[in-house]
């Protein structure tokens, strides 16, 4: 992916102590955290509205998720907070049963994430193909951009030049200096302009009421019964799976960008702990945020847990202590930041004509399917699952046609030797039965399997069927050349699968 072309970062760059000893790096982490905190405010409020809860529920979730994951997570510099995917999952529960049931589901979802991390769910990441990852990234970029359209449609005309100025600042300022993150300069500049010239444009304050107090311990007021469990369990499972999927794929993306490795099992465990903390402080739950993570890692250059911790801390300070000031930030400034994030996130190399000409059509199809499903449903989990299934089907179809049966020898007039080439599983072995001459072959048949492998029961059943068809004509079959695992599988299953199986 084109994102991997970012400057290479040495593993020690993720060290908190090294950043604390370097004023330059510490400044980068601090300013990155501030920019992310400013970008989190309208996002958290918007996601609260989607979930059908008070804006404070989303803001508190973002604060507790970011601070907790900075301590217990496995991917330094990645931002976790309230997200649209989790908001969509919990919205029906919130509407029908209220906030207390939502909080209970978030807490149970955190427990499930911890359990899944312990049993090794993070290892499943290796089964996600590159084409699905590219589709995941491109879909996220599209969703980030389309999520800004409500702030660009039906708004005062002054919004458009403000967004344009913000984009110009973020495109050209880094060419002159990187002392201060360009997004922060754009936010400050546009806010000052709207105040000095008294411009009447939508601001953060229009998105919802900001909290005036700190989050506190909250025990959901729900009956501890099996009926309650039956209500919240499906939502809790969805929270756990969607949250882990987004978080682990975002972690892998950051690994590629920074050319470093992160502990995915610890990240999965950390997401569970963060959701527990979030639930018990009245938050709506969350997971990794691709947009804010890209602001932190790619735009601002942060690499350590400091930026993540400060993003949550600054968020709380801004909305509780400086809410009146934050409310004055024009939405145009934050829209401009998110548009730049969208452009930077999209893998433009993946749609370049040269890339499309060289890439196998199946790979491109998987990417397109992943993007289409994700954008259509606004659910990254659906897109990734459909993309993986599509990739599996196309792979099985491709491999199925690589199996071949070759007539290799005739030691004597009563013997014929066949050699089977290729991997044998349900898709490829079904056609195997039709590649032998049951009538014309001599009495003794040898099937050499030294250049093939038995992967499943379907293949053993097919070999049994071939043996049976020859036996019906008074001929014998000897299977040779099986490797150890194929021999074990064949010996264990042959003759025990039943007719038609």
């Amino acid at each position: 992916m084109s994102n991997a072309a970012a400057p290479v970062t040495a593993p020690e760059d993720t060290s908190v102590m090294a950043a604390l000893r370097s004023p330059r790096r510490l400044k980068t982490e601090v300013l990155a955290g501030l920019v992310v905190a400013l970008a989190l405010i309208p996002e958290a409020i918007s996601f609260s509205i989607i979930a059908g809860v008070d804006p404070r529920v989303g803001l508190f979730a973002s604060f507790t998720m970011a601070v907790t994951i900075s301590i217990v997570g496995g991917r330094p510099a990645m931002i976790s907070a309230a997200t649209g995917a989790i908001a969509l999952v919990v919205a029906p529960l919130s509407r029908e049963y209220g906030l207390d049931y939502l909080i209970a589901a978030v807490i149970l979802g955190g427990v499930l994430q911890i359990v899944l991390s312990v049993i090794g769910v993070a290892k499943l990441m290796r089964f996600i193909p590159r084409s699905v990852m590219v589709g995941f990234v491109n879909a996220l970029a599209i969703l980030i951009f389309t999520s800004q359209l409500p702030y660009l449609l039906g708004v005062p005309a002054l919004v458009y030049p403000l967004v344009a100025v913000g984009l110009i600042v973020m495109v050209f300022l880094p060419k002159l200096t990187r002392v201060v993150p360009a997004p922060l300069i754009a936010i400050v500049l546009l806010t000052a302009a709207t105040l000095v010239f008294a411009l009447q444009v939508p601001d953060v304050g229009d998105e919802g009421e900001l909290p005036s107090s700190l989050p506190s311990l909250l025990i959901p007021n729900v009956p501890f019964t099996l009926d309650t469990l039956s209500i919240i369990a499906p939502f809790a499972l969805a929270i756990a799976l969607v949250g882990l999927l987004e978080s682990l794929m975002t972690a892998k993306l950051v690994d590629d960008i920074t050319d470093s490795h992160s502990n995915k099992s610890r990240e999965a465990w950390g997401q569970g702990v963060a959701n527990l903390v979030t639930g018990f402080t009245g938050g709506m739950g969350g997971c990794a945020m691709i947009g804010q993570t890209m602001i932190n890692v790619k735009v601002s250059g942060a690499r350590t847990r400091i930026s993540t911790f400060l993003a949550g801390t600054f968020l709380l300070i801004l909305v509780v202590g400086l809410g009146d000031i934050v409310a004055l930030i024009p939405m145009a400034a934050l829209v401009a930041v998110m548009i730049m994030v969208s452009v930077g996130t999209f893998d433009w190399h993946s749609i370049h004509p040269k890339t499309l000409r060289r890439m196998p059509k199946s790979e491109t199809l998987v990417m397109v399917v992943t993007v289409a499903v994700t954008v259509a449903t606004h659910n990254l989990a659906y897109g990734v699952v459909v993309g993986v299934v599509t990739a599996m089907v196309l792979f099985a179809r491709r491999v199925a046609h690589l199996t071949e049966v070759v007539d290799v020898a005739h030691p004597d007039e009563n013997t014929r030797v066949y050699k089977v080439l290729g991997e044998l599983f349900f898709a490829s072995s079904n056609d195997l039965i039709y590649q032998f001459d049951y009538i014309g072959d001599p009495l003794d048949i040898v099937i050499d399997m030294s250049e093939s492998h038995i992967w499943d029961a379907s293949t053993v059943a097919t070999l049994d069927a071939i043996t049976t068809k020859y036996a019906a004509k008074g001929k014998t079959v000897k299977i040779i050349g099986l490797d150890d695992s194929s021999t074990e599988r064949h010996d264990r299953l042959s003759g025990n699968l039943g007719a038609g199986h």
Side-chain angles (χ1 to χ4, degrees):
M1 291 181 287
S2 62
N3 291 330
V8 173
T9 307
E12 60 268 20
D13 280 352
T14 63
S15 168
V16 171
M17 294 306 299
L20 291 174
R21 288 193 294 265
S22 170
R24 181 181 61 82
R25 288 181 55 193
L26 183 59
K27 181 200 68 177
T28 298
E29 299 293 320
V30 172
L31 293 178
L34 179 57
V35 173
V36 171
L38 290 169
L40 276 173
I41 295 171
E43 294 279 300
I45 294 173
S46 299
F47 298 149
S48 298
I49 294 171
I50 292 173
V53 296
D54 188 281
R56 286 171 290 190
V57 177
L59 289 166
F60 285 160
S62 295
F63 159 66
T64 52
M65 285 291 298
V67 170
T68 305
I69 205 68
S70 70
I71 299 170
V72 299
R75 174 64 258 180
M78 192 167 79
I79 304 297
S80 291
T83 61
I86 299 299
L88 288 169
V89 167
V90 301
L93 180 63
S94 174
R95 284 194 300 267
E96 188 168 351
Y97 294 97
L99 178 61
D100 285 301
Y101 278 83
L102 185 155
I103 299 301
V106 170
I107 293 172
L108 180 57
V111 172
L112 292 176
Q113 286 181 325
I114 293 174
V115 172
L116 289 171
S117 71
V118 171
I119 63 178
V121 69
K123 296 177 181 178
L124 296 177
M125 282 296 296
R126 67 180 184 271
F127 293 108
I128 298 180
R130 179 188 178 278
S131 51
V132 174
M133 274 297 298
V134 174
F136 167 80
V137 170
N138 290 348
L140 282 171
I142 294 170
L143 289 177
I144 291 170
F145 179 79
T146 56
S147 68
Q148 307 310 306
L149 294 181
Y151 305 112
L152 294 171
L153 301 175
V155 295
L158 285 172
V159 168
Y160 303 111
L162 287 176
V163 172
V165 170
L167 292 173
I168 290 172
V169 169
M170 286 182 283
V171 169
F172 292 103
L173 182 62
K175 300 180 185 300
L176 302 176
T177 178
R178 293 182 178 270
V179 174
V180 180
L184 182 58
I185 295 295
I187 291 171
V188 172
L189 180 64
L190 294 182
T191 302
T194 57
L195 295 176
V196 170
F197 298 105
L199 303 179
Q200 299 300 311
V201 293
D203 55 32
V204 171
D206 296 327
E207 295 299 302
E209 182 182 357
L210 299 179
S212 58
S213 62
L214 298 175
S216 57
L217 179 65
L218 185 149
I219 305 297
N221 183 22
V222 298
F224 290 86
T225 63
L226 290 176
D227 286 340
T228 299
L229 182 62
S230 67
I231 292 171
I232 67 173
F235 294 97
L237 182 60
I239 290 170
L241 295 178
V242 170
L244 285 179
L245 185 59
E246 285 204 45
S247 299
L248 294 176
M249 293 193 72
T250 302
K252 188 175 187 305
L253 176 61
V254 178
D255 288 353
D256 292 341
I257 292 173
T258 61
D259 195 26
S260 61
H261 177 71
S262 61
N263 188 329
K264 304 300 187 300
S265 293
R266 178 178 170 180
E267 180 60 36
W269 182 84
Q271 290 289 331
V273 173
N275 271 308
L276 280 178
V277 174
T278 297
F280 282 118
T281 52
M284 58 178 277
C287 60
M289 299 187 76
I290 183 69
Q292 277 65 26
T293 298
M294 290 300 100
I295 292 175
N296 197 46
V297 174
K298 198 169 185 182
V299 178
S300 301
R303 290 294 183 270
T304 76
R305 301 176 187 275
I306 296 174
S307 57
T308 307
F309 178 84
L310 290 179
T313 304
F314 282 143
L315 173 65
L316 189 65
I317 294 172
L318 288 169
V319 298
V320 175
L322 302 173
D324 293 340
I325 297 175
V326 171
L328 299 175
I329 297 175
M331 287 303 299
L334 299 176
V335 168
V337 172
M338 297 310 292
I339 290 175
M340 286 298 295
V341 170
S342 173
V343 172
T345 301
F346 197 91
D347 187 350
W348 297 101
H349 179 265
S350 67
I351 61 171
H352 193 282
K354 287 185 179 179
T355 304
L356 293 176
R357 283 196 297 269
R358 294 173 180 172
M359 192 68 65
K361 289 183 173 57
S362 58
E363 299 280 332
T364 302
L365 177 60
V366 170
M367 180 190 73
V368 171
V369 167
T370 304
V371 171
V373 173
T374 302
V375 172
T377 63
H378 284 231
N379 191 313
L380 294 166
Y382 290 162
V384 171
V385 169
V386 173
V388 170
V389 171
T390 303
M392 290 171 60
V393 171
L394 292 175
F395 174 77
R397 183 174 178 271
R398 185 167 62 251
V399 173
H401 296 295
L402 298 179
T403 304
E404 185 180 5
V405 176
V406 181
D407 181 358
V408 293
H410 299 260
D412 55 62
E413 62 180 12
N414 290 322
T415 305
R416 171 172 286 182
V417 180
Y418 287 103
K419 175 168 282 192
V420 179
L421 309 174
E423 303 300 306
L424 297 175
F425 63 109
F426 62 91
S428 60
S429 61
N430 285 335
D431 291 335
L432 195 65
I433 197 170
Y434 304 113
Q435 300 188 45
F436 295 88
D437 186 0
Y438 301 99
I439 297 175
D441 279 346
L443 296 177
D444 298 318
I445 306 300
V446 177
I447 301 179
D448 183 356
M449 305 281 287
S450 58
E451 294 188 28
S452 62
H453 188 94
I454 296 175
W455 288 105
D456 59 7
S458 294
T459 301
V460 176
T462 297
L463 292 175
D464 284 353
I466 292 170
T467 302
T468 300
K469 288 176 75 71
Y470 273 117
K473 303 186 182 306
K475 302 175 182 180
T476 61
V477 174
K478 183 179 181 181
I479 299 175
I480 64 171
L482 289 172
D483 58 31
D484 291 342
S485 62
S486 296
T487 299
E488 189 276 331
R489 186 172 287 110
H490 183 266
D491 290 347
R492 176 162 45 90
L493 296 176
S494 182
N496 297 312
L497 296 174
H501 300 286

